[in-house]
Amino acid sequence: MKYWWFAILSLLIAMPASATTVDPEKRMFNIAQELRCLVCQNESIAASRAELAVDLRQQIRELIQAGRTDDEIRTYMVERYGDFVLYRPPMNATTVLLWFGPMLLFLLGLTILIMALRRRKARLVNTPLSAEDRKRAHALLAQTADSEKF
Amino acid sequence: MNRLLWPFAGFIVLVAFLAVGLTLKPSELPSPLIDKPAPNFSLPQLKSPENVFTSESMKGQVWLLNVWASWCAACLDEHPVISELANSGVVPIIGLNYKDVRSEAIAWLGRYGDSYTLSVSDTRGRVGIDFGVYGVPETFVIDKQGMIRHKHIGPVTQSAVRDTLLPLIRELQQ
Amino acid sequence: MIAEFGHFTLILTLLVAGAQGALTLPGAANGNAAWIAFARPAARIQFALVSLAFLSLTWAFITKDFSVAYVAENSNSRLPLFYRIAAVWGGHEGSLLLWVLMQTGWACAVSMLSRQLPEPMVARVLGVLGLVNAGFLLFVLLTSNPFERLTPAPLEGLDLNPLLQDIGLIFHPPLLYMGYVGFSVVFAFAVAALLAGRLDAAWARWSRPWATAAWLFLTLGIAVGSWWAYYELGWGGWWFWDPVENSSFIPWLVGTALIHSLAVTEKRNSFKSWTVLLAISTFSLSLLGAFLVRSGVLTSVHAFATDPRRGVFLLLLFAVVVGASLLLYAVRAPKVGLGGRFDFISRESLLLVNNVLMAVAAGSVLLGTLYPLFIDALGLGKISVGPPYFNAIFVPLMVPALLLMAVGPIANWKSAKLPAMLKRLYIPAFLAVAFGIGVPLALGRWSLLVALGVSLATWIGVAVVIGIYERMKATRSGLFSQPLSWLGMHVAHLGIAVFVVGVTLVMGYETEEDVSMAPGQTVQVGGYDLKFIGVRKVPGPNYVADMGDFEMFRDGASMGLLHPEKRTYASSAMPMTEAAIDANGLRHVYVALGEPLGDGAWSVRVYYKPFVDWIWGGCLLMALGGLLAISDRRYRLKRKARDASVALKGATS
């Protein structure tokens, strides 16, 4: 559910962008943003100033000039550096639980919530106040300060 | 089971994973090129750049490709071990001089000894990228058919030679 | 000598903490007044002792005592004094000592600010805190002693990591730890209640300000960390979903659920076992965070130097503390009772949904952070999970929470009428759509994400303003005569709206130029012109800087000079970027030097970041909201409140 919603959102966002031809430098930047810099800790190849990142950005530029598609370039990197180089984890059998995890957690959370509420409703009994208790309640309410009512 | 025990159960699973996690090495990345053909390359030799070395020429033998650079401190640490292995004659070692300045690389070999069969200059690091090199030093074991069989990340130690590299090399040489 | 003294005081503290735990918990169970009475003084003694230890270490830094190994690793004779003091918590051992100082500090505060609580309760709370403290002290003494000597003593220290030689180091760790450790108080309250087998609205009333206080510190700590990374790393990012950042954000999310849950338990005596579970979870996640950051299990630019022994010990500490509490929870929680009933649509149910959303968000971030470890542990290879994943899953989860933020405060407790609520939401809805469509167009470029963010922020902001206005009208009194905790809620929610505006507009409209410039050349960004004048060498106390001179122009008029630097510290080969930022509350113009290109030319990065200050401004508002909430009159009433609360307890339990 979550992924589907996001997919539609992404399409809506992407639409204006695909209307114009994408500048090669921008393309390089977009691809590089989705690849991890392996000698840095938690930076993308686009953002990193490390030498390897500079080299790889240049390599991406050359591949773009050679006419490769975005997917081909990403595959090129994965062939050499493994899945680890993908900043955005791929969607495959190993990562299915990762991508659908949040949605599953959400459904689980809602289920637990509904079940717990049902169970609690069954166990709660609403007894009316006795006259004595009612008087006591009035007296206490008169005492307590305004802030307590909220 | 008491449904209130679920948080505890989940927690136990988490601790188990974390315990295993303590035994792992997250910054060491396995190479996706293991058991795949080593990328072919032709590069000028370091000491005689007019001569080109092609990796194809090593087919039929087991060999090591050792990625090094004069600016790399850890390469200096492993150099005696590499040199000893090379001098033993068990296996030829080709040096890939990575992103270096030729004069400095030659001076480095002059100062610390050159037991490589030969070294090639990968000044722009392109061959390094093809091999998935992300740090220096790295060492690759390549078999007679030109397939990469092992990648050693970081400096090669005596124990790595003794326990991993030599047995593998011997096996591949049968 | 001082170092040995410091070491000795730590050992003493451990003994006191152990005694406290051993005496007060059984004492409370058996009603032994003498043992119970030991709790408060023991907490204060521990704080005094650890303060002495901390001062000893600080003294060693001030006097440049390089015979202490930790000082030698993190200091240098040319390091300026204030950094030498901040360096006390610049490395693993010292930061742990800071953690222990805070642990004892919070316990001491509890011992002093809890006169209205029954003694056995206080004894239990302090006893639990004492045991946790003992665990950390053991960790320090056995694996991370900051007072180890180095023989022979080196003449010069290694210097504090240049990245840390910054004002951020002075504030970020202390604020952050105040938050992490602060949650141990409400954790102790929860465990104490479970041990006593009794949990009621009064318990929630006592624990709530402690939870809110911890939350507000954690908010500030995370905000300062983000701001620090922004200007220190030199490339304008403010959040990277780095494992260490996530380790602080996950407890924050659960802590947010906790303070909302405590509100319900206090007002309506409901959600009791959920609130207890959240209280246990928040501190457990702080502990998990400490483990992840210091064990080497995850790679991160923030991670401390790792040692497998430390990882094992921390995991044991985590396992024992959390495991014991969760087992106690499973056994004792059924006894705490159910509390009042509420309808399907009511403030309670809306807050419950909020709890679910926060918990799922926390769980998702945790999943993404730990997933590489899970996959590696199962032998399925190595993958990495970066910002693209976290951004993709986090935003959709927050949208419903942000929508609820305007609805919750106007929903009645127990039973809310939908038509009445909807009527009050027409204006926020209308303005949200209007601003959502209008703002992106006014700023020059339509973007659906910007529209969404601006709408949600307007939705919340307008609801806050209307809510305050309506109440002031109804009570015919001014802004500051409203109850502070109510005001705090609105201020904090407003802070979130401001934060969302900042994030949305920065991500939607920031621009960057990465160019090579020769002296005299100009680059344009965000409507500003930056002229590169040149770079000159400027010496600092323990570094040499290449200082750039840039003049900023807008429509031809000069707006002053900016001086980004590239510093080379004597102790490190890596040059440090010090960005130059021109800020006016509505935007940043950010200049960072890259590399020298020869002939006086340099590669330069310039950024235009609209509304980026609103990100941290929003966080400040959130923290202010928390501060207002804990200053509420009802927490400061002493004798009177005690009688009232006792009577109240009788009525509602």
Side-chain angles (χ1 to χ4, degrees):
Chain A
M1 174 181 92
K2 207 152 309 322
Y3 200 57
W4 155 98
W5 192 91
F6 182 72
I8 297 216
L9 207 62
S10 321
L11 272 171
L12 282 167
I13 303 160
M15 265 169 14
S18 58
T20 54
T21 51
V22 190
D23 161 47
E25 193 62 14
K26 201 86 178 52
R27 239 185 101 195
M28 184 282 286
F29 191 73
N30 286 339
I31 298 172
Q33 271 196 318
E34 301 254 321
L35 295 170
R36 177 180 286 271
C37 165
L38 296 159
V39 295
C40 330
Q41 307 282 27
N42 213 42
E43 269 185 283
S44 70
I45 289 182
S48 169
R49 304 224 110 185
E51 243 193 287
L52 180 64
V54 175
D55 288 344
L56 287 173
R57 286 202 292 272
Q58 187 56 30
Q59 184 74 352
I60 297 174
R61 281 194 194 97
E62 289 174 12
L63 290 169
I64 290 177
Q65 276 188 331
R68 303 285 184 90
T69 66
D70 286 6
D71 270 336
E72 282 172 347
I73 296 176
R74 269 190 286 270
T75 312
Y76 177 94
M77 292 296 171
V78 172
E79 272 169 7
R80 282 151 184 77
Y81 291 100
D83 273 338
F84 192 82
V85 77
L86 292 173
Y87 218 26
R88 174 195 295 270
M91 173 74 95
N92 55 37
T94 328
T95 61
V96 139
L97 203 59
L98 177 69
W99 282 106
F100 287 98
M103 173 176 72
L104 289 173
L105 280 175
F106 182 65
L107 291 175
L108 181 69
L110 274 184
T111 314
I112 296 179
L113 182 65
I114 294 174
M115 276 173 40
L117 286 179
R118 285 229 188 96
R119 201 179 298 119
R120 131 194 271 274
K121 209 168 182 165
R123 282 183 11 201
L124 277 175
V125 175
N126 224 9
T127 52
L129 285 180
S130 70
E132 161 112 31
D133 281 342
R134 199 175 279 276
K135 254 197 270 180
R136 223 173 129 218
H138 277 298
L140 280 167
L141 277 170
Q143 259 184 42
T144 54
D146 221 90
S147 61
E148 322 234 297
K149 295 208 182 98
F150 295 89
Chain B
M1 181 175 88
N2 176 2
R3 72 177 191 287
L4 292 175
L5 271 175
W6 279 109
F8 181 72
F11 162 76
I12 294 291
V13 171
L14 175 67
V15 172
F17 269 109
L18 294 177
V20 173
L22 281 175
T23 62
L24 305 169
K25 295 203 197 78
S27 49
E28 274 187 15
L29 304 175
S31 172
L33 294 169
I34 303 283
D35 297 334
K36 295 229 174 63
N40 289 329
F41 64 89
S42 307
L43 285 176
Q45 292 184 31
L46 178 67
K47 287 191 167 164
S48 50
E50 62 282 5
N51 294 336
V52 169
F53 167 85
T54 41
S55 53
E56 290 259 303
S57 63
M58 296 303 286
K59 282 231 167 85
Q61 337 175 31
V62 178
W63 58 288
L64 257 55
L65 182 70
N66 174 249
V67 185
W68 67 274
S70 63
W71 45 262
C72 155
C75 301
L76 191 52
D77 287 338
E78 73 164 2
H79 198 62
V81 178
I82 296 284
S83 301
E84 196 187 317
L85 182 58
N87 287 332
S88 70
V90 170
V91 63
I93 307 187
I94 307 288
L96 184 74
N97 184 234
Y98 180 74
K99 303 215 64 180
D100 212 343
V101 176
R102 188 169 163 262
S103 52
E104 291 176 19
I106 293 176
W108 192 86
L109 287 175
R111 201 174 325 140
Y112 301 113
D114 181 7
S115 314
Y116 293 107
T117 310
L118 57 92
S119 282
V120 291
S121 296
D122 185 15
T123 350
R124 288 174 65 224
R126 285 294 174 274
V127 173
I129 290 180
D130 276 338
F131 273 84
V133 169
Y134 65 92
V136 202
E138 290 181 5
T139 308
F140 296 84
V141 179
I142 301 170
D143 71 7
K144 297 180 184 178
Q145 288 79 32
M147 313 279 270
I148 296 180
R149 290 295 178 197
H150 181 73
K151 174 181 177 181
H152 183 99
I153 297 167
V156 171
T157 56
Q158 289 285 17
S159 49
V161 170
R162 192 184 54 233
D163 302 327
T164 316
L165 296 178
L166 276 178
L168 177 63
I169 293 168
R170 296 228 163 80
E171 188 191 320
L172 294 172
Q173 280 171 337
Q174 307 300 4
Chain C
M1 253 308 293
I2 304 276
E4 278 70 32
F5 174 69
H7 192 188
F8 178 62
T9 52
L10 285 181
I11 299 177
L12 267 183
T13 319
L14 176 62
L15 292 172
V16 176
Q20 185 187 43
L23 289 178
T24 56
L25 291 173
N30 298 329
N32 185 329
W35 288 13
I36 288 175
F38 182 57
R40 290 188 206 261
R44 295 168 201 174
I45 294 174
Q46 285 176 62
F47 180 56
L49 287 172
V50 174
S51 303
L52 284 174
F54 193 81
L55 284 170
S56 310
L57 189 60
T58 310
W59 185 252
F61 269 91
I62 293 176
T63 55
K64 306 176 192 175
D65 184 356
F66 297 130
S67 66
V68 178
Y70 180 70
V71 178
E73 280 161 26
N74 290 288
S75 179
N76 185 280
S77 59
R78 284 185 289 166
L79 191 63
L81 179 66
F82 41 89
Y83 290 144
R84 283 213 306 278
I85 297 177
V88 170
W89 54 81
H92 167 77
E93 295 88 340
S95 69
L96 268 181
L97 189 59
L98 182 69
W99 181 296
V100 172
L101 181 70
M102 306 242 157
Q103 195 81 62
T104 51
W106 280 96
C108 185
V110 171
S111 78
M112 299 196 306
L113 296 174
S114 54
R115 302 241 178 268
Q116 72 275 32
L117 272 63
E119 285 306 297
M121 178 72 171
V122 174
R124 283 202 172 95
V125 170
L126 292 176
V128 171
L129 285 174
L131 285 177
V132 171
N133 196 29
F136 274 98
L137 281 164
L138 265 178
F139 180 52
V140 169
L141 288 168
L142 291 179
T143 72
S144 319
N145 184 0
F147 297 110
E148 297 266 338
R149 289 279 189 192
L150 209 57
T151 46
L155 287 169
E156 182 59 276
L158 287 175
D159 204 8
L160 182 63
N161 183 342
L163 265 174
L164 300 176
Q165 290 187 32
D166 185 273
I167 192 173
L169 178 66
I170 299 178
F171 291 106
H172 171 62
L175 284 170
L176 201 66
Y177 290 10
M178 281 290 278
Y180 279 146
V181 178
F183 279 115
S184 67
V185 173
V186 61
F187 167 83
F189 269 93
V191 172
L194 287 174
L195 284 173
R198 233 191 47 212
L199 196 88
D200 48 34
W203 169 84
R205 166 176 300 223
W206 301 324
S207 356
R208 198 171 167 199
W210 295 102
T212 308
W215 178 87
L216 85 83
F217 278 112
L218 191 59
T219 307
L220 285 173
I222 296 175
V224 172
S226 158
W227 173 73
W228 186 16
Y230 169 78
Y231 73 79
E232 181 70 18
L233 293 180
W235 48 279
W238 52 271
W239 188 256
F240 314 98
W241 294 108
D242 176 90
V244 172
E245 288 175 330
N246 295 349
S247 299
S248 66
F249 192 49
I250 297 166
W252 186 90
L253 288 166
V254 179
T256 304
L258 175 63
I259 56 180
H260 287 84
S261 209
L262 275 168
V264 181
T265 309
E266 179 185 4
K267 294 279 173 13
R268 300 275 299 138
N269 205 24
S270 303
F271 291 13
K272 287 189 276 195
S273 64
W274 303 61
T275 305
V276 165
L277 187 59
L278 282 173
I280 294 177
S281 305
T282 314
F283 184 57
S284 308
L285 290 167
S286 294
L287 289 178
L288 177 64
F291 167 76
L292 291 176
V293 167
R294 294 165 196 271
S295 62
V297 151
L298 298 171
T299 51
S300 161
V301 67
H302 291 85
F304 292 94
T306 57
D307 173 358
R309 262 184 332 155
R310 291 171 180 171
V312 171
F313 195 106
L314 271 175
L315 187 60
L316 273 174
L317 184 64
F318 174 65
V320 165
V321 172
V322 180
S325 342
L326 287 177
L327 267 178
L328 181 66
Y329 172 77
V331 167
R332 284 291 178 87
K335 295 219 177 95
V336 302
L338 279 174
R341 54 160 298 174
F342 50 87
D343 277 1
F344 185 62
I345 297 190
S346 60
R347 196 182 291 197
E348 286 95 323
S349 64
L350 291 176
L351 281 171
L352 261 181
V353 174
N354 170 68
N355 278 4
V356 170
L357 286 168
M358 291 295 120
V360 171
S364 304
V365 174
L366 187 62
L367 178 69
T369 308
L370 290 179
Y371 207 76
L373 188 154
F374 293 153
I375 295 298
D376 199 2
L378 292 171
L380 294 171
K382 303 233 193 217
I383 64 158
S384 79
V385 180
Y389 170 79
F390 291 104
N391 289 329
I393 55 120
F394 188 71
V395 173
L397 276 172
M398 287 298 107
V399 169
L402 293 172
L403 282 171
L404 282 180
M405 206 176 283
V407 184
I410 60 169
N412 292 336
W413 292 106
K414 191 165 177 179
S415 176
K417 302 284 171 277
L418 199 53
M421 290 200 308
L422 286 177
K423 234 171 42 182
R424 293 171 73 176
L425 292 172
Y426 284 148
I427 299 181
F430 174 73
L431 286 173
V433 172
F435 275 79
I437 297 180
V439 169
L441 289 175
L443 287 174
R445 186 169 55 87
W446 166 263
S447 152
L448 186 66
L449 276 178
V450 172
L452 185 66
V454 171
S455 313
L456 285 169
T458 313
W459 165 255
I460 296 170
V462 171
V464 164
V465 169
I466 291 182
I468 295 181
Y469 170 72
E470 278 183 353
R471 191 185 167 123
M472 280 170 60
K473 213 168 70 169
T475 57
R476 277 181 260 250
S477 48
L479 187 65
F480 292 105
S481 32
Q482 309 303 335
L484 286 179
S485 63
W486 178 88
L487 206 57
M489 164 185 79
H490 281 303
V491 169
H493 288 174
L494 189 65
I496 303 241
V498 168
F499 174 83
V500 170
V501 168
V503 171
T504 308
L505 293 180
V506 154
M507 289 179 63
Y509 298 107
E510 62 179 343
T511 55
E512 172 189 346
E513 293 294 334
D514 195 345
V515 292
S516 53
M517 298 183 81
Q521 289 185 324
T522 304
V523 65
Q524 246 217 12
V525 72
Y528 294 87
D529 296 297
L530 284 151
K531 181 162 154 206
F532 179 40
I533 297 169
V535 170
R536 53 196 160 91
K537 286 240 185 275
V538 173
N542 54 345
Y543 61 84
V544 173
D546 286 306
M547 185 178 289
D549 295 305
F550 284 80
E551 193 169 0
M552 198 167 99
F553 294 89
R554 171 110 178 161
D555 299 325
S558 171
M559 296 182 67
L561 295 172
L562 290 168
H563 303 287
E565 291 177 35
K566 200 95 179 166
R567 290 185 189 170
T568 313
Y569 284 79
S571 54
S572 162
M574 268 269 281
M576 290 283 316
T577 330
E578 291 286 325
I581 300 176
D582 184 272
N584 72 354
L586 290 178
R587 68 21 190 186
H588 277 190
V589 175
Y590 181 119
V591 185
L593 285 175
E595 277 79 47
L597 301 171
D599 296 327
W602 279 72
S603 66
V604 176
R605 274 189 187 182
V606 298
Y607 298 87
Y608 168 72
K609 300 253 181 196
F611 290 90
V612 70
D613 276 325
W614 287 42
I615 295 176
W616 306 299
C619 295
L620 279 176
L621 275 177
M622 289 183 226
L624 178 63
L627 187 62
L628 288 171
I630 59 177
S631 318
D632 191 286
R633 208 165 41 99
R634 71 178 182 276
Y635 300 126
R636 289 182 274 133
L637 297 172
K638 291 190 182 171
R639 195 84 240 176
K640 204 164 154 207
R642 187 194 185 139
D643 296 330
S645 76
V646 167
L648 212 59
K649 203 162 69 185
T652 55
S653 54

